[in-house]
PDB file of all heavy atoms in Angstrom:
ATOM      1  N   ASN A  71      83.913  76.631  76.563  1.00  0.00           N
ATOM      2  CA  ASN A  71      85.344  76.842  76.799  1.00  0.00           C
ATOM      3  C   ASN A  71      85.751  76.054  78.042  1.00  0.00           C
ATOM      4  O   ASN A  71      85.253  76.314  79.138  1.00  0.00           O
ATOM      5  CB  ASN A  71      85.601  78.344  77.008  1.00  0.00           C
ATOM      6  CG  ASN A  71      87.082  78.645  77.209  1.00  0.00           C
ATOM      7  OD1 ASN A  71      87.859  77.780  77.623  1.00  0.00           O
ATOM      8  ND2 ASN A  71      87.463  79.877  76.911  1.00  0.00           N
ATOM      9  N   PRO A  72      86.634  75.062  77.896  1.00  0.00           N
ATOM     10  CA  PRO A  72      87.022  74.224  79.044  1.00  0.00           C
ATOM     11  C   PRO A  72      87.541  75.044  80.232  1.00  0.00           C
ATOM     12  O   PRO A  72      87.355  74.643  81.382  1.00  0.00           O
ATOM     13  CB  PRO A  72      88.134  73.321  78.483  1.00  0.00           C
ATOM     14  CG  PRO A  72      87.934  73.330  77.005  1.00  0.00           C
ATOM     15  CD  PRO A  72      87.319  74.659  76.655  1.00  0.00           C
ATOM     16  N   ASP A  73      88.154  76.172  79.954  1.00  0.00           N
ATOM     17  CA  ASP A  73      88.669  77.025  81.035  1.00  0.00           C
ATOM     18  C   ASP A  73      87.549  77.672  81.845  1.00  0.00           C
ATOM     19  O   ASP A  73      87.781  78.173  82.942  1.00  0.00           O
ATOM     20  CB  ASP A  73      89.530  78.160  80.468  1.00  0.00           C
ATOM     21  CG  ASP A  73      90.858  77.669  79.933  1.00  0.00           C
ATOM     22  OD1 ASP A  73      91.312  76.590  80.372  1.00  0.00           O
ATOM     23  OD2 ASP A  73      91.440  78.355  79.072  1.00  0.00           O
ATOM     24  N   LEU A  74      86.357  77.712  81.287  1.00  0.00           N
ATOM     25  CA  LEU A  74      85.257  78.446  81.925  1.00  0.00           C
ATOM     26  C   LEU A  74      84.118  77.540  82.383  1.00  0.00           C
ATOM     27  O   LEU A  74      83.066  78.016  82.809  1.00  0.00           O
ATOM     28  CB  LEU A  74      84.703  79.498  80.950  1.00  0.00           C
ATOM     29  CG  LEU A  74      85.713  80.533  80.426  1.00  0.00           C
ATOM     30  CD1 LEU A  74      85.061  81.415  79.375  1.00  0.00           C
ATOM     31  CD2 LEU A  74      86.270  81.386  81.567  1.00  0.00           C
ATOM     32  N   VAL A  75      84.356  76.235  82.335  1.00  0.00           N
ATOM     33  CA  VAL A  75      83.276  75.293  82.665  1.00  0.00           C
ATOM     34  C   VAL A  75      82.791  75.492  84.104  1.00  0.00           C
ATOM     35  O   VAL A  75      81.609  75.340  84.397  1.00  0.00           O
ATOM     36  CB  VAL A  75      83.748  73.842  82.419  1.00  0.00           C
ATOM     37  CG1 VAL A  75      82.796  72.843  83.049  1.00  0.00           C
ATOM     38  CG2 VAL A  75      83.855  73.587  80.920  1.00  0.00           C
ATOM     39  N   LYS A  76      83.708  75.815  85.016  1.00  0.00           N
ATOM     40  CA  LYS A  76      83.336  75.928  86.432  1.00  0.00           C
ATOM     41  C   LYS A  76      83.210  77.363  86.917  1.00  0.00           C
ATOM     42  O   LYS A  76      82.944  77.596  88.094  1.00  0.00           O
ATOM     43  CB  LYS A  76      84.362  75.177  87.283  1.00  0.00           C
ATOM     44  CG  LYS A  76      84.445  73.708  86.890  1.00  0.00           C
ATOM     45  CD  LYS A  76      84.752  72.823  88.062  1.00  0.00           C
ATOM     46  CE  LYS A  76      84.488  71.372  87.698  1.00  0.00           C
ATOM     47  NZ  LYS A  76      85.109  70.445  88.642  1.00  0.00           N
ATOM     48  N   THR A  77      83.429  78.323  86.037  1.00  0.00           N
ATOM     49  CA  THR A  77      83.323  79.721  86.445  1.00  0.00           C
ATOM     50  C   THR A  77      81.862  80.052  86.766  1.00  0.00           C
ATOM     51  O   THR A  77      80.981  79.774  85.954  1.00  0.00           O
ATOM     52  CB  THR A  77      83.804  80.634  85.296  1.00  0.00           C
ATOM     53  OG1 THR A  77      85.120  80.229  84.922  1.00  0.00           O
ATOM     54  CG2 THR A  77      83.811  82.095  85.722  1.00  0.00           C
ATOM     55  N   PRO A  78      81.587  80.618  87.943  1.00  0.00           N
ATOM     56  CA  PRO A  78      80.199  80.999  88.212  1.00  0.00           C
ATOM     57  C   PRO A  78      79.728  82.046  87.204  1.00  0.00           C
ATOM     58  O   PRO A  78      80.408  83.039  86.966  1.00  0.00           O
ATOM     59  CB  PRO A  78      80.256  81.608  89.626  1.00  0.00           C
ATOM     60  CG  PRO A  78      81.538  81.150  90.215  1.00  0.00           C
ATOM     61  CD  PRO A  78      82.479  80.927  89.066  1.00  0.00           C
ATOM     62  N   ILE A  79      78.592  81.772  86.599  1.00  0.00           N
ATOM     63  CA  ILE A  79      77.944  82.742  85.703  1.00  0.00           C
ATOM     64  C   ILE A  79      76.613  83.114  86.344  1.00  0.00           C
ATOM     65  O   ILE A  79      75.740  82.265  86.511  1.00  0.00           O
ATOM     66  CB  ILE A  79      77.693  82.165  84.293  1.00  0.00           C
ATOM     67  CG1 ILE A  79      79.003  81.699  83.645  1.00  0.00           C
ATOM     68  CG2 ILE A  79      77.003  83.215  83.408  1.00  0.00           C
ATOM     69  CD1 ILE A  79      78.807  81.004  82.289  1.00  0.00           C
ATOM     70  N   VAL A  80      76.493  84.364  86.737  1.00  0.00           N
ATOM     71  CA  VAL A  80      75.277  84.836  87.397  1.00  0.00           C
ATOM     72  C   VAL A  80      74.517  85.734  86.413  1.00  0.00           C
ATOM     73  O   VAL A  80      75.023  86.764  85.978  1.00  0.00           O
ATOM     74  CB  VAL A  80      75.616  85.605  88.689  1.00  0.00           C
ATOM     75  CG1 VAL A  80      74.340  86.114  89.350  1.00  0.00           C
ATOM     76  CG2 VAL A  80      76.401  84.705  89.650  1.00  0.00           C
ATOM     77  N   ALA A  81      73.312  85.288  86.057  1.00  0.00           N
ATOM     78  CA  ALA A  81      72.489  86.039  85.106  1.00  0.00           C
ATOM     79  C   ALA A  81      71.794  87.190  85.808  1.00  0.00           C
ATOM     80  O   ALA A  81      71.375  87.073  86.967  1.00  0.00           O
ATOM     81  CB  ALA A  81      71.455  85.105  84.481  1.00  0.00           C
ATOM     82  N   LEU A  82      71.682  88.297  85.105  1.00  0.00           N
ATOM     83  CA  LEU A  82      70.864  89.407  85.581  1.00  0.00           C
ATOM     84  C   LEU A  82      69.557  89.359  84.810  1.00  0.00           C
ATOM     85  O   LEU A  82      69.534  89.582  83.596  1.00  0.00           O
ATOM     86  CB  LEU A  82      71.593  90.731  85.363  1.00  0.00           C
ATOM     87  CG  LEU A  82      72.686  90.942  86.405  1.00  0.00           C
ATOM     88  CD1 LEU A  82      73.806  91.784  85.868  1.00  0.00           C
ATOM     89  CD2 LEU A  82      72.106  91.595  87.647  1.00  0.00           C
ATOM     90  N   THR A  83      68.498  88.998  85.512  1.00  0.00           N
ATOM     91  CA  THR A  83      67.209  88.800  84.859  1.00  0.00           C
ATOM     92  C   THR A  83      66.235  89.870  85.318  1.00  0.00           C
ATOM     93  O   THR A  83      66.387  90.456  86.384  1.00  0.00           O
ATOM     94  CB  THR A  83      66.632  87.417  85.191  1.00  0.00           C
ATOM     95  OG1 THR A  83      66.373  87.337  86.588  1.00  0.00           O
ATOM     96  CG2 THR A  83      67.592  86.316  84.801  1.00  0.00           C
ATOM     97  N   SER A  84      65.236  90.086  84.504  1.00  0.00           N
ATOM     98  CA  SER A  84      64.229  91.074  84.847  1.00  0.00           C
ATOM     99  C   SER A  84      63.212  90.471  85.800  1.00  0.00           C
ATOM    100  O   SER A  84      62.732  89.357  85.598  1.00  0.00           O
ATOM    101  CB  SER A  84      63.529  91.553  83.577  1.00  0.00           C
ATOM    102  OG  SER A  84      62.391  92.298  83.920  1.00  0.00           O
ATOM    103  N   TYR A  85      62.891  91.214  86.846  1.00  0.00           N
ATOM    104  CA  TYR A  85      61.895  90.773  87.818  1.00  0.00           C
ATOM    105  C   TYR A  85      60.572  90.457  87.132  1.00  0.00           C
ATOM    106  O   TYR A  85      59.835  89.573  87.539  1.00  0.00           O
ATOM    107  CB  TYR A  85      61.695  91.859  88.874  1.00  0.00           C
ATOM    108  CG  TYR A  85      60.633  91.555  89.886  1.00  0.00           C
ATOM    109  CD1 TYR A  85      60.851  90.578  90.862  1.00  0.00           C
ATOM    110  CD2 TYR A  85      59.415  92.220  89.867  1.00  0.00           C
ATOM    111  CE1 TYR A  85      59.876  90.285  91.790  1.00  0.00           C
ATOM    112  CE2 TYR A  85      58.440  91.932  90.800  1.00  0.00           C
ATOM    113  CZ  TYR A  85      58.664  90.964  91.759  1.00  0.00           C
ATOM    114  OH  TYR A  85      57.692  90.678  92.678  1.00  0.00           O
ATOM    115  N   ALA A  86      60.296  91.206  86.069  1.00  0.00           N
ATOM    116  CA  ALA A  86      59.013  91.066  85.375  1.00  0.00           C
ATOM    117  C   ALA A  86      58.972  89.870  84.425  1.00  0.00           C
ATOM    118  O   ALA A  86      57.938  89.573  83.854  1.00  0.00           O
ATOM    119  CB  ALA A  86      58.714  92.336  84.584  1.00  0.00           C
ATOM    120  N   MET A  87      60.087  89.193  84.272  1.00  0.00           N
ATOM    121  CA  MET A  87      60.168  88.099  83.295  1.00  0.00           C
ATOM    122  C   MET A  87      60.590  86.801  83.981  1.00  0.00           C
ATOM    123  O   MET A  87      61.737  86.370  83.869  1.00  0.00           O
ATOM    124  CB  MET A  87      61.179  88.443  82.205  1.00  0.00           C
ATOM    125  CG  MET A  87      60.880  89.736  81.473  1.00  0.00           C
ATOM    126  SD  MET A  87      59.742  89.540  80.110  1.00  0.00           S
ATOM    127  CE  MET A  87      60.841  88.854  78.880  1.00  0.00           C
TER     128      MET A  87
END
Side-chain angles (χ1 to χ4, degrees):
N71 182 336
D73 289 337
L74 302 174
V75 167
K76 301 213 166 164
T77 305
I79 302 175
V80 179
L82 283 151
T83 64
S84 168
Y85 177 72
M87 303 274 282

